[in-house]
Amino acid sequence: MQEIRNFINGEFVAAADGRWFEKRSPVDNSVIARIAEAGRAEVDAAVRAAHAAQKGVWGGLTTEQRVDLLYGVADEITRRFEDFVAAEMADTGQPNHVQRHVFIPRGAANFKVFADVIKNVPAESFQMATPDGRGALNYAIRVPKGVIGVISPWNAPFLLMTWKVGPALACGNAVVVKPSEETPLTTTLLGEVMNKVGIPAGVFNVINGFGPNSAGEFLTQHPLVDAITFTGETRTGTTIMKAAAEGMRDVSFELGGKNAGIVFADCDFNAAVDGIFRSVFLNTGQVCLGTERVYVERTIFEQFVAALKAKAESVNYGRPEDHASTYGPLISAEHKQKVLSYYAKAKAEGANIVTGGGVPTMPADLQDGHWVQPTIWTGLPETATVVREEIFGPCCHISPFDSEDEVINKANATDYGLSTTIWTTNLARAHRVAARIEVGITWINCWFLRDLRTAFGGSKQSGIGREGGVHSLEFYTETRNICVKL
Ligand code: NAD
């Protein structure tokens, strides 16, 4: 069985108190790895190593030298592409094609894109008048924040972790990463990559463990952590924000969502069905940007529900390495119970179950995996539990609407504000509606298209701050102004 250790100051180390926990396969619940759980001592060692590396060798490199090393990281990930695909499949159980074409390539891109961004940062300067007529010149320099604590979730582990580590390192920070306890494999592999390409020891560290009273909490409490970037549940974000208040540490949060998909009758019908299908069921619905509330204009409602049902019933359950598989399990037994509890609530609150709503019959070797059926409901009011709360599973509720104002009000009637997808061929309407939806990102006639140079983040309880392109610099650097009397 694989043993996963913490990665501290360039070395793979077990916990001093000998604590390990098990990682189980989502596909069949077999134990696939044992993981060294970092205690306070390991977290302290990792943060101190990061602090020393940042103040020392890493902070002393030129931008060009750092950029070259980060290009090397991206190239080495690409060279070990199959290892990363295999590790992510083992951790998440999600199909080969998703890892191969979306998640792992994005992980490599996260290092190249932010290396390019940092090379091309525009400089700011102002000439000002002074009473003696000689004037003064102000110019700004950007400096790294120091040690960044990176806490990441399990749903797209490598993509979401590197999306933080790439810009943090490009800006000259050192990082201590706490991957989700459910998905430590690719973060550990990245440690091997860092050593191979010559990233100095201590610049990238990994501590494994859980949240409360474990590695996650110890990291957020450490006084030498200068800022925390977190992706995960809104409730966890609240706890981390309280910890970050001690010592006035900055936070960047990417949190939960309850995203709406809006389909107008004038849409390209097949494209809308395909797009909404992907946005509901990709990664078994475990995508923060996924759609759980679908609003369809009444005149095409029945036709749309029937088409989405047909697609939901045509998924291929299977092991991730089986290339015919299009649909994987949920991440864990605990998450399966949570999703099934929502399936039960929908039924109890009177939903019309269009398809799914339970557990599929699986072959004997997959029976213990965390499988649930793709599920579609109709007929519930906006106040129903599954229409209000984030489920993070392969399910959606579909409601009819009659007017633009009605659907905008319904889409906005949530505490979350992450993303929306709008389907219409009327471009004026598309822009009009998009501007009124209270979210960080709106897609028109598409979904999940991400240019890494654009701002990404959530409104309301879906997050704090924006990352992506130059927006990431706002979080991973501090601007200092220097005023020179001429
Ligand atoms: P989670 O909040 O349970 O855990 C995320 C990470 O935080 C894990 O590494 C966990 O160990 C750690 N953690 C938990 N409690 C902690 C604590 N008290 N202190 C420090 N660390 C702690 O989230 P999850 O279940 O792993 O991920 C699913 C959630 O993430 C969903 O709500 C989803 O919407 C959200 N998400 C958001 C985005 C986005 O970009 N907005 C992207 C992906 C996932």
Side-chain angles (χ1 to χ4, degrees), residues 151-155 160 178-181 209-212 216-217 220 230-234 236 239-240 254-257 288 390 392 418 456 462:
I151 301 180
S152 47
W154 45 259
N155 61 310
L160 290 169
K178 211 298 279 171
S180 168
E181 54 275 29
F210 303 83
E217 186 178 304
T220 62
F230 166 73
T231 307
E233 281 191 30
T234 299
T236 314
T239 309
I240 292 175
E254 290 171 10
L255 308 174
C288 57
E390 182 188 46
F392 219 54
L418 194 52
F456 180 85
S462 288

Side-chain angles (χ1 to χ4, degrees), residues 237-251:
T238 307
T239 309
I240 292 175
M241 199 164 181
K242 286 180 187 156
E246 201 62 50
M248 284 304 155
R249 276 90 52 76
D250 201 0
V251 294

Side-chain angles (χ1 to χ4, degrees), residues 254-266:
E254 290 171 10
L255 308 174
K258 188 71 186 175
N259 310 309
I262 302 175
V263 183
F264 287 96
D266 61 12

Side-chain angles (χ1 to χ4, degrees), residues 19 64 104 151 179 216 246 258 302-303 325 372 404 411 417 481:
R19 272 209 278 186
E64 288 69 24
I104 303 301
I151 301 180
E246 201 62 50
K258 188 71 186 175
E302 298 297 339
Q303 189 192 355
S325 159
V372 298
E404 247 177 65
N481 188 64

Side-chain angles (χ1 to χ4, degrees), residues 9 32 34 39 158 173 180 252 327 352 379 403 431 435 468 475:
N9 209 18
I32 56 170
R34 67 173 199 146
F158 190 58
N173 302 284
S180 168
S252 172
Y327 182 83
N352 169 40
S403 75
H431 291 298
F475 179 68

